[in-house]
Amino acid sequence: MGVRQKKIAVQDLEIGMFVSDLDRPWHQTPFPIQGFPVRSQDDIRSVVSYCKWVLIDVAEAREKIDAGKDPGPVFGQRARRMGGNREVIQLPPLHIREPVHYETTTTMKRELKVSGMVLADAEIALKRVSETIKRQATPDLREVAGVTRNMVSSVVRNPDALLWLSRTRQHDDFIYRHAMNTAVWALVCGRELGLNEGLLNHLGLGCLLSQIGKIALPVSMLENEDKLSPDQFAEYRTYVNRGVAMLDGCGVSRAVISVVQGHRERHNGSGFPEGIRGDRIPLLAKIAGLAEFFENLIGPRASSEPMTPAKAVRLLYDMRNIEFQEDLVETFIQAVGIYPTGSLVQLNDGQRGMVVSHSPERRLWPRVMVMTDQFQKPLKSAKVIDLASFNANKEAGETLSIAECLPHGTEGLNPEHYDVTGTESRWNLARLVGA
């Protein structure tokens, strides 16, 4: 069935309609994504305060959203085990005491070299912790804590460098990659929230250690996380408490333990191990849980099909106040963008490349490292195009924009194979980070 757009006055909006366009540019509104379903009267009031008319997708509007009805599993087997709970829970907005406003203080090129060393050190530190735990000895976490501080410092200086490198760096160990990427997403979100560096250190260390309980589980179980029987899943859920027990006596803070303990809890109580909900989940654990869920969508095990980052962002937005608190979801999207750093994209003229960074003011026009021409033929040297600057003062028909997000691993789009020309002079990722 095709989708037909219809122009209506904002006063005629109803719950269940899908808003596909506005009477003003999206970046002039607080809506974090372009196109969203109307789920509540609060959504309608928000649109009314910014617009006089909108375009809705008629096909989308035919099926009203029913918060009490399960529309089907969101992510396969796991959602079915949790009952597909779609209960909407509204909490007061998050309040960050004395939030910190961070400025980007270094260039992408300069920070990439630092980030490469940080990730290499993190791999060594986590491997040592894992080997110590396998010997049933008490791990020394000082090295991991030091790596975490370096990660925080890098994200504070430039949030895109470590994020971009973690998305492009390949690693065979899924648990390591998952923990590392989760930590980076979480730190970028925490920076946007204005958490001070002490809290960011607790958040980052908790994310890095959040998966250690899986060391005690059978490898066959871990390789099929999304295809477990109810009995297997019951055992799988024990990894959280196992991880907490492994950290007993290691001297880590209660804040770090709260991240490990609560990163699989969910806003509506559908998580584990305790099934707590809402404001009973510590803030750092909420951030870690959202970051881990997002990473699981875009970087699952090889046995599962990854979701493009743009689709994952939309799924998160649809889950606000269901599995994740609304303003936390919106902050995460503001931090990572509609097309998160590391996303592979195709422009409307056919060129292909990878998102390098984005601007909150121009969420649909990020900086893109272009690696092919309009016919998808590889370029000799990649070039960075700032779509916001490129499109300045251009007519609508002349603008360059993202047409679609491409699957991770799309052939011919490996940034390590290119020299890059752009505002930060010529550079090469492989040489910068010693890959």
Side-chain angles (χ1 to χ4, degrees):
M1 181 184 297
V3 175
R4 180 172 59 86
Q5 289 186 318
K6 179 181 178 182
K7 179 178 178 180
I8 66 170
V10 290
Q11 289 79 8
D12 295 330
L13 277 173
E14 298 178 7
I15 294 174
M17 291 181 173
F18 188 91
V19 177
S20 57
D21 209 349
L22 311 175
D23 62 2
R24 63 178 57 211
W26 285 89
H27 72 270
Q28 294 178 6
T29 73
F31 309 121
I33 66 171
Q34 180 168 341
F36 58 88
V38 177
R39 302 192 312 164
S40 66
Q41 290 298 327
D42 285 339
D43 287 347
I44 294 176
R45 283 190 286 270
S46 295
V47 177
V48 168
S49 65
Y50 282 91
C51 306
K52 294 182 178 179
W53 58 263
V54 296
L55 292 178
I56 64 169
D57 285 356
V58 175
E60 293 279 358
R62 290 178 184 172
E63 295 184 8
K64 305 293 184 180
I65 294 178
D66 182 354
K69 182 180 180 181
D70 178 14
V74 176
F75 45 101
Q77 188 82 268
R78 180 169 57 175
R80 286 196 292 275
R81 295 192 203 98
M82 296 178 179
N85 185 356
R86 301 287 289 181
E87 180 184 0
V88 175
I89 301 175
Q90 186 78 43
L91 289 181
L94 289 171
H95 175 70
I96 306 299
R97 184 181 300 175
E98 299 180 357
V100 180
H101 176 71
Y102 295 103
E103 297 284 352
T104 299
T105 59
T106 187
T107 64
M108 182 83 160
K109 177 183 177 181
R110 179 173 297 178
E111 197 59 39
L112 278 173
K113 191 172 184 64
V114 177
S115 298
M117 293 187 290
V118 168
L119 289 184
D121 290 343
E123 179 179 352
I124 295 172
L126 288 176
K127 185 176 181 180
R128 286 175 178 163
V129 169
S130 175
E131 290 173 345
T132 301
I133 290 175
K134 288 178 180 178
R135 296 197 305 268
Q136 298 184 345
T138 301
D140 184 347
L141 299 179
R142 287 176 294 183
E143 187 178 12
V144 181
V147 167
T148 303
R149 288 192 292 271
N150 291 337
M151 289 177 62
V152 169
S153 297
S154 178
V155 169
V156 164
R157 289 189 298 265
N158 187 317
D160 290 305
L162 193 62
L163 183 56
W164 195 63
L165 197 55
S166 70
R167 289 287 291 138
T168 58
R169 191 183 182 96
Q170 301 298 316
H171 201 280
D172 293 334
D173 189 325
F174 175 82
I175 292 179
Y176 161 80
R177 173 170 60 84
H178 189 72
M180 175 60 64
N181 290 357
T182 294
V184 177
W185 290 118
L187 290 176
V188 171
C189 180
R191 181 187 192 273
E192 181 74 12
L193 276 171
L195 301 183
N196 62 47
E197 290 193 39
L199 290 174
L200 290 177
N201 277 305
H202 292 318
L203 175 62
L205 182 56
C207 288
L208 289 178
L209 298 175
S210 64
Q211 307 295 303
I212 64 169
K214 292 181 178 179
I215 293 173
L217 297 179
V219 174
S220 59
M221 179 179 293
L222 297 177
E223 291 176 345
N224 295 279
E225 289 182 11
D226 292 331
K227 302 173 184 177
L228 302 178
S229 69
D231 288 342
Q232 289 174 322
F233 185 66
E235 182 180 357
Y236 173 83
R237 287 161 53 122
T238 66
Y239 90 81
V240 173
N241 286 334
R242 288 174 187 257
V244 172
M246 290 172 181
L247 296 175
D248 184 35
C250 293
V252 293
S253 69
R254 291 179 62 185
V256 172
I257 294 295
S258 76
V259 174
V260 179
Q261 178 74 41
H263 74 280
R264 294 302 293 260
E265 302 290 357
R266 292 296 180 258
H267 185 68
N268 60 359
S270 64
F272 63 84
E274 302 296 330
I276 58 177
R277 58 195 289 174
D279 55 8
R280 291 190 59 200
I281 306 172
L283 175 61
L284 298 187
K286 290 183 180 183
I287 299 170
L290 191 156
E292 199 232 8
F293 178 82
F294 185 76
E295 172 59 25
N296 197 48
L297 292 176
I298 65 173
R301 290 186 179 273
S303 59
S304 300
E305 189 71 23
M307 187 177 290
T308 66
K311 288 183 179 179
V313 164
R314 288 185 177 275
L315 177 57
L316 276 183
Y317 190 69
D318 190 41
M319 297 173 74
R320 65 199 194 281
N321 278 345
I322 299 174
E323 292 208 25
F324 304 102
Q325 189 167 337
E326 179 174 27
D327 46 352
L328 185 58
V329 170
E330 294 184 353
T331 298
F332 183 85
I333 295 173
Q334 293 286 356
V336 308
I338 305 298
Y339 303 105
T341 298
S343 299
L344 299 180
V345 296
Q346 179 166 313
L347 304 183
N348 58 343
D349 67 350
Q351 295 182 92
R352 290 181 170 183
M354 176 178 282
V355 173
V356 175
S357 65
H358 76 282
S359 167
E361 291 76 28
R362 292 285 185 174
R363 295 188 290 272
L364 299 179
W365 290 347
R367 294 174 70 228
V368 178
M369 175 181 165
V370 175
M371 291 177 270
T372 78
D373 63 17
Q374 296 172 323
F375 306 101
Q376 287 91 59
K377 293 183 178 179
L379 300 176
K380 291 184 178 180
S381 294
K383 56 183 178 180
V384 176
I385 301 178
D386 185 330
L387 296 182
S389 298
F390 181 89
N391 292 329
N393 303 317
K394 285 187 170 59
E395 298 294 330
E398 301 174 338
T399 59
L400 196 58
S401 61
I402 293 176
E404 63 175 321
C405 225
L406 302 171
H408 189 65
T410 297
E411 187 176 356
L413 297 182
N414 186 341
E416 292 188 3
H417 296 167
Y418 291 89
D419 287 329
V420 183
T421 57
T423 57
E424 298 174 3
S425 73
R426 183 181 293 272
W427 53 275
N428 179 281
L429 176 64
R431 288 197 293 270
L432 272 179
V433 302

mmCIF file of all heavy atoms in Angstrom, residues 70-86 315 319 323:
data_model
loop_
_atom_site.group_PDB
_atom_site.id
_atom_site.type_symbol
_atom_site.label_atom_id
_atom_site.label_comp_id
_atom_site.label_asym_id
_atom_site.label_seq_id
_atom_site.Cartn_x
_atom_site.Cartn_y
_atom_site.Cartn_z
ATOM 1 N N ASP A 70 -0.089 -4.697 22.261
ATOM 2 C CA ASP A 70 1.239 -5.083 21.815
ATOM 3 C C ASP A 70 1.265 -5.153 20.293
ATOM 4 O O ASP A 70 0.600 -5.982 19.690
ATOM 5 C CB ASP A 70 1.598 -6.448 22.408
ATOM 6 C CG ASP A 70 2.959 -6.936 21.927
ATOM 7 O OD1 ASP A 70 3.697 -6.108 21.380
ATOM 8 O OD2 ASP A 70 3.251 -8.131 22.119
ATOM 9 N N PRO A 71 2.049 -4.261 19.599
ATOM 10 C CA PRO A 71 2.095 -4.267 18.143
ATOM 11 C C PRO A 71 3.023 -5.322 17.584
ATOM 12 O O PRO A 71 3.240 -5.373 16.386
ATOM 13 C CB PRO A 71 2.634 -2.861 17.835
ATOM 14 C CG PRO A 71 3.535 -2.578 18.982
ATOM 15 C CD PRO A 71 2.899 -3.227 20.186
ATOM 16 N N GLY A 72 3.577 -6.162 18.441
ATOM 17 C CA GLY A 72 4.515 -7.177 17.959
ATOM 18 C C GLY A 72 5.887 -6.917 18.530
ATOM 19 O O GLY A 72 6.173 -5.852 19.044
ATOM 20 N N PRO A 73 6.773 -7.892 18.449
ATOM 21 C CA PRO A 73 8.091 -7.743 19.053
ATOM 22 C C PRO A 73 8.906 -6.670 18.374
ATOM 23 O O PRO A 73 8.874 -6.514 17.156
ATOM 24 C CB PRO A 73 8.718 -9.132 18.859
ATOM 25 C CG PRO A 73 7.986 -9.729 17.702
ATOM 26 C CD PRO A 73 6.593 -9.192 17.801
ATOM 27 N N VAL A 74 9.652 -5.903 19.170
ATOM 28 C CA VAL A 74 10.510 -4.857 18.631
ATOM 29 C C VAL A 74 11.818 -5.439 18.129
ATOM 30 O O VAL A 74 12.343 -5.048 17.110
ATOM 31 C CB VAL A 74 10.784 -3.801 19.728
ATOM 32 C CG1 VAL A 74 11.753 -2.758 19.225
ATOM 33 C CG2 VAL A 74 9.477 -3.147 20.161
ATOM 34 N N PHE A 75 12.370 -6.402 18.855
ATOM 35 C CA PHE A 75 13.629 -6.973 18.408
ATOM 36 C C PHE A 75 13.672 -8.468 18.657
ATOM 37 O O PHE A 75 14.537 -8.992 19.330
ATOM 38 C CB PHE A 75 14.828 -6.284 19.054
ATOM 39 C CG PHE A 75 14.702 -6.046 20.522
ATOM 40 C CD1 PHE A 75 15.318 -6.860 21.435
ATOM 41 C CD2 PHE A 75 13.943 -4.981 20.984
ATOM 42 C CE1 PHE A 75 15.204 -6.630 22.784
ATOM 43 C CE2 PHE A 75 13.826 -4.745 22.337
ATOM 44 C CZ PHE A 75 14.451 -5.565 23.243
ATOM 45 N N GLY A 76 12.693 -9.164 18.117
ATOM 46 C CA GLY A 76 12.731 -10.617 18.053
ATOM 47 C C GLY A 76 12.473 -11.323 19.366
ATOM 48 O O GLY A 76 11.672 -10.911 20.177
ATOM 49 N N GLN A 77 13.182 -12.421 19.558
ATOM 50 C CA GLN A 77 12.949 -13.334 20.675
ATOM 51 C C GLN A 77 12.922 -12.617 22.011
ATOM 52 O O GLN A 77 12.095 -12.891 22.867
ATOM 53 C CB GLN A 77 14.074 -14.372 20.667
ATOM 54 C CG GLN A 77 13.920 -15.519 21.628
ATOM 55 C CD GLN A 77 13.026 -16.607 21.094
ATOM 56 O OE1 GLN A 77 11.844 -16.589 21.348
ATOM 57 N NE2 GLN A 77 13.585 -17.543 20.358
ATOM 58 N N ARG A 78 13.846 -11.665 22.210
ATOM 59 C CA ARG A 78 13.942 -10.999 23.500
ATOM 60 C C ARG A 78 12.663 -10.255 23.834
ATOM 61 O O ARG A 78 12.176 -10.270 24.956
ATOM 62 C CB ARG A 78 15.132 -10.036 23.496
ATOM 63 C CG ARG A 78 15.294 -9.302 24.814
ATOM 64 C CD ARG A 78 16.609 -8.578 24.889
ATOM 65 N NE ARG A 78 16.782 -7.653 23.793
ATOM 66 C CZ ARG A 78 17.816 -6.834 23.692
ATOM 67 N NH1 ARG A 78 18.766 -6.872 24.593
ATOM 68 N NH2 ARG A 78 17.921 -5.991 22.680
ATOM 69 N N ALA A 79 12.067 -9.576 22.858
ATOM 70 C CA ALA A 79 10.840 -8.830 23.114
ATOM 71 C C ALA A 79 9.694 -9.762 23.479
ATOM 72 O O ALA A 79 8.867 -9.436 24.328
ATOM 73 C CB ALA A 79 10.463 -8.004 21.886
ATOM 74 N N ARG A 80 9.647 -10.927 22.864
ATOM 75 C CA ARG A 80 8.572 -11.877 23.174
ATOM 76 C C ARG A 80 8.700 -12.374 24.612
ATOM 77 O O ARG A 80 7.708 -12.549 25.312
ATOM 78 C CB ARG A 80 8.599 -13.044 22.186
ATOM 79 C CG ARG A 80 8.094 -12.671 20.805
ATOM 80 C CD ARG A 80 7.777 -13.926 20.009
ATOM 81 N NE ARG A 80 8.972 -14.691 19.685
ATOM 82 C CZ ARG A 80 9.744 -14.445 18.627
ATOM 83 N NH1 ARG A 80 9.471 -13.424 17.838
ATOM 84 N NH2 ARG A 80 10.790 -15.202 18.378
ATOM 85 N N ARG A 81 9.942 -12.592 25.065
ATOM 86 C CA ARG A 81 10.120 -13.058 26.433
ATOM 87 C C ARG A 81 9.650 -12.007 27.434
ATOM 88 O O ARG A 81 9.186 -12.317 28.515
ATOM 89 C CB ARG A 81 11.602 -13.363 26.697
ATOM 90 C CG ARG A 81 12.145 -14.507 25.891
ATOM 91 C CD ARG A 81 13.514 -14.893 26.444
ATOM 92 N NE ARG A 81 14.280 -15.567 25.416
ATOM 93 C CZ ARG A 81 15.179 -14.947 24.671
ATOM 94 N NH1 ARG A 81 15.399 -13.681 24.821
ATOM 95 N NH2 ARG A 81 15.853 -15.624 23.769
ATOM 96 N N MET A 82 9.811 -10.755 27.079
ATOM 97 C CA MET A 82 9.430 -9.690 27.998
ATOM 98 C C MET A 82 7.966 -9.307 27.848
ATOM 99 O O MET A 82 7.483 -8.380 28.479
ATOM 100 C CB MET A 82 10.309 -8.454 27.757
ATOM 101 C CG MET A 82 11.785 -8.697 28.060
ATOM 102 S SD MET A 82 12.776 -7.252 27.722
ATOM 103 C CE MET A 82 14.408 -7.835 28.194
ATOM 104 N N GLY A 83 7.262 -9.981 26.966
ATOM 105 C CA GLY A 83 5.836 -9.731 26.838
ATOM 106 C C GLY A 83 5.494 -8.554 25.958
ATOM 107 O O GLY A 83 4.330 -8.160 25.854
ATOM 108 N N GLY A 84 6.494 -7.956 25.312
ATOM 109 C CA GLY A 84 6.210 -6.822 24.431
ATOM 110 C C GLY A 84 5.520 -5.684 25.156
ATOM 111 O O GLY A 84 4.634 -5.039 24.623
ATOM 112 N N ASN A 85 5.928 -5.415 26.392
ATOM 113 C CA ASN A 85 5.283 -4.397 27.222
ATOM 114 C C ASN A 85 5.407 -3.015 26.582
ATOM 115 O O ASN A 85 6.498 -2.486 26.431
ATOM 116 C CB ASN A 85 5.935 -4.388 28.607
ATOM 117 C CG ASN A 85 5.246 -3.446 29.580
ATOM 118 O OD1 ASN A 85 4.316 -2.732 29.213
ATOM 119 N ND2 ASN A 85 5.709 -3.459 30.819
ATOM 120 N N ARG A 86 4.263 -2.414 26.194
ATOM 121 C CA ARG A 86 4.271 -1.097 25.562
ATOM 122 C C ARG A 86 3.653 -0.034 26.476
ATOM 123 O O ARG A 86 3.212 1.015 26.019
ATOM 124 C CB ARG A 86 3.505 -1.144 24.243
ATOM 125 C CG ARG A 86 4.031 -2.123 23.220
ATOM 126 C CD ARG A 86 5.314 -1.666 22.590
ATOM 127 N NE ARG A 86 5.120 -0.540 21.695
ATOM 128 C CZ ARG A 86 6.093 0.036 21.005
ATOM 129 N NH1 ARG A 86 7.315 -0.400 21.128
ATOM 130 N NH2 ARG A 86 5.846 1.044 20.205
ATOM 131 N N LEU A 315 13.726 4.037 15.881
ATOM 132 C CA LEU A 315 13.159 3.054 16.798
ATOM 133 C C LEU A 315 13.262 3.559 18.238
ATOM 134 O O LEU A 315 12.307 3.448 19.013
ATOM 135 C CB LEU A 315 13.871 1.717 16.654
ATOM 136 C CG LEU A 315 13.430 0.610 17.621
ATOM 137 C CD1 LEU A 315 11.931 0.346 17.504
ATOM 138 C CD2 LEU A 315 14.218 -0.666 17.368
ATOM 139 N N MET A 319 10.290 4.468 21.098
ATOM 140 C CA MET A 319 10.254 3.768 22.379
ATOM 141 C C MET A 319 10.351 4.714 23.569
ATOM 142 O O MET A 319 10.463 4.270 24.718
ATOM 143 C CB MET A 319 11.404 2.749 22.434
ATOM 144 C CG MET A 319 11.300 1.668 21.380
ATOM 145 S SD MET A 319 12.752 0.606 21.339
ATOM 146 C CE MET A 319 12.484 -0.343 22.819
ATOM 147 N N GLU A 323 10.402 1.868 26.848
ATOM 148 C CA GLU A 323 11.578 1.203 27.410
ATOM 149 C C GLU A 323 12.627 2.187 27.910
ATOM 150 O O GLU A 323 13.482 1.834 28.724
ATOM 151 C CB GLU A 323 12.185 0.243 26.388
ATOM 152 C CG GLU A 323 11.299 -0.967 26.091
ATOM 153 C CD GLU A 323 12.087 -2.191 25.672
ATOM 154 O OE1 GLU A 323 13.261 -2.294 26.046
ATOM 155 O OE2 GLU A 323 11.515 -3.048 24.983
#
